[in-house]
């Protein structure tokens, strides 16, 4: 069964550094998402992406975040200058045709900012 | 945006017991999903259920969209069922998650 994959599974970085989290969505999916979960809290939406454009973003997704689909398979989330409060689990998701279809989640990348 | 509330926040069961988890949402939805977060933090898709009833083994789910709630039933619980259960709903492209139900199943 096809699945969403994410790399790395765990990333440790120092405050102020740039990080890129990588995702490979399911191959025929057209809509891509990033969510994050701070430890002990609920999962929060960051951004949705379709046709090489951001289609929706949350208040969390400020200028330090960016997303890109650099090739036909990868979908990335970049955090330009990490802060301690960016420490969280980041989930990538994809689906075939946007809402209302089921979103398929990857296993997550745990980001620790020291 | 849509609000999603889950109850109870915590649930402790003995192995073999049955349980019902509830998810209320504040507006009409076109997508509702249930997830199980395992001890490694992964979100496991359980059900995509914007309406109706589905069953998968010992788990089943029902969504009554007109009354804005969904229920997740776990029968004959096992210790491996422990973890956090999230429901998430959307009326647009973003999934809005509830706070989750922390389930502990004791042997």
């Amino acid at each position: 069964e096809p699945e969403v994959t994410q790399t790395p599974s765990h990333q440790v970085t120092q405050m102020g550094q740039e990080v890129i989290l990588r995702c490979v969505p399911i191959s025929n999916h057209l809509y891509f998402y990033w969510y994050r979960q701070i430890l002990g809290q609920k999962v929060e939406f960051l951004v949705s992406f379709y046709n090489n454009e951001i289609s929706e973003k949350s208040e969390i997704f400020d200028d330090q975040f960016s997303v890109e689909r650099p090739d036909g398979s990868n979908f990335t989330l970049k955090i330009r200058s990490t802060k301690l409060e960016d420490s969280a689990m980041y989930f990538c998701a994809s689906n075939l045709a946007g809402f209302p279809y089921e979103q398929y989640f990857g296993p997550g990348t745990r980001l620790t900012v020291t | 945006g849509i609000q999603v509330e889950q109850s109870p926040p915590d649930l402790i069961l003995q192995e073999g017991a049955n349980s019902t988890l509830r998810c209320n949402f504040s507006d009409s939805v076109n997508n509702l999903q249930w997830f199980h977060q395992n001890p490694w933090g992964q979100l496991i898709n359980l059900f995509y259920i914007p309406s109706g009833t589905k069953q998968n083994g010992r788990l089943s789910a029902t969504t009554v969209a007109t009354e804005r709630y969904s229920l997740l039933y776990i029968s004959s619980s096992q210790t491996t069922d422990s973890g956090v259960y999230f429901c998430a709903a959307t009326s647009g492209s973003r999934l809005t998650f509830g706070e989750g139900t922390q389930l502990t199943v004791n042997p």
Side-chain angles (χ1 to χ4, degrees):
Chain A
E1 184 175 330
E3 57 185 21
V4 177
T5 60
Q6 291 185 242
T7 55
S9 57
H10 190 191
Q11 173 128 19
V12 181
T13 190
Q14 288 191 326
M15 196 167 50
Q17 295 297 303
E18 174 183 286
V19 295
I20 297 176
L21 309 183
R22 291 183 167 80
C23 168
V24 179
I26 295 172
S27 62
N28 62 338
H29 285 185
L30 301 176
Y31 290 76
F32 315 116
Y33 310 83
W34 284 102
Y35 293 81
R36 80 171 187 190
Q37 183 185 29
I38 294 171
L39 186 64
Q41 298 186 19
K42 65 180 180 180
V43 180
E44 301 172 290
F45 169 81
L46 290 178
V47 65
S48 59
F49 189 86
Y50 168 70
N51 199 26
N52 282 321
E53 290 185 345
I54 290 174
S55 50
E56 187 178 358
K57 61 182 180 179
S58 72
E59 309 71 33
I60 303 167
F61 194 88
D62 61 22
D63 291 345
Q64 72 160 341
F65 291 94
S66 61
V67 289
E68 189 180 27
R69 187 145 163 88
D71 54 42
S73 59
N74 289 282
F75 178 51
T76 62
L77 175 68
K78 181 191 292 186
I79 308 175
R80 290 192 180 83
S81 177
T82 50
K83 305 171 188 171
L84 294 176
E85 54 265 36
D86 293 327
S87 295
M89 180 78 97
Y90 288 81
F91 294 101
C92 173
S94 70
N95 64 0
L96 183 60
F99 67 92
Y101 296 96
E102 180 176 6
Q103 293 185 23
Y104 294 83
F105 280 68
T109 291
R110 185 170 300 282
L111 177 65
T112 302
V113 182
T114 62
Chain B
I2 193 168
Q3 306 295 316
V4 178
E5 295 183 354
Q6 292 187 242
S7 60
D10 297 281
L11 186 58
I12 300 174
L13 302 174
Q14 286 299 120
E15 200 168 25
N18 303 328
S19 61
T20 301
L21 282 57
R22 186 176 180 102
C23 174
N24 292 332
F25 39 91
S26 61
D27 206 344
S28 58
V29 299
N30 50 32
N31 177 6
L32 189 126
Q33 296 183 231
W34 282 97
F35 299 88
H36 176 214
Q37 187 161 43
N38 65 21
W40 297 271
Q42 297 174 336
L43 287 172
I44 309 301
N45 282 33
L46 296 177
F47 293 102
Y48 164 70
I49 186 163
S51 64
T53 298
K54 289 186 178 179
Q55 180 153 8
N56 184 3
R58 295 180 297 103
L59 273 59
S60 63
T62 295
T63 297
V64 184
T66 53
E67 297 186 22
R68 300 181 184 172
Y69 73 88
S70 183
L71 302 174
L72 178 69
Y73 304 96
I74 305 174
S75 64
S76 304
S77 57
Q78 300 176 357
T79 56
T80 51
D81 294 331
S82 295
V84 183
Y85 289 79
F86 289 104
C87 75
T90 182
S91 59
S93 68
R94 66 171 75 184
L95 274 174
T96 299
F97 282 73
E99 300 280 346
T101 292
Q102 173 76 58
L103 176 66
T104 303
V105 181
N106 293 320

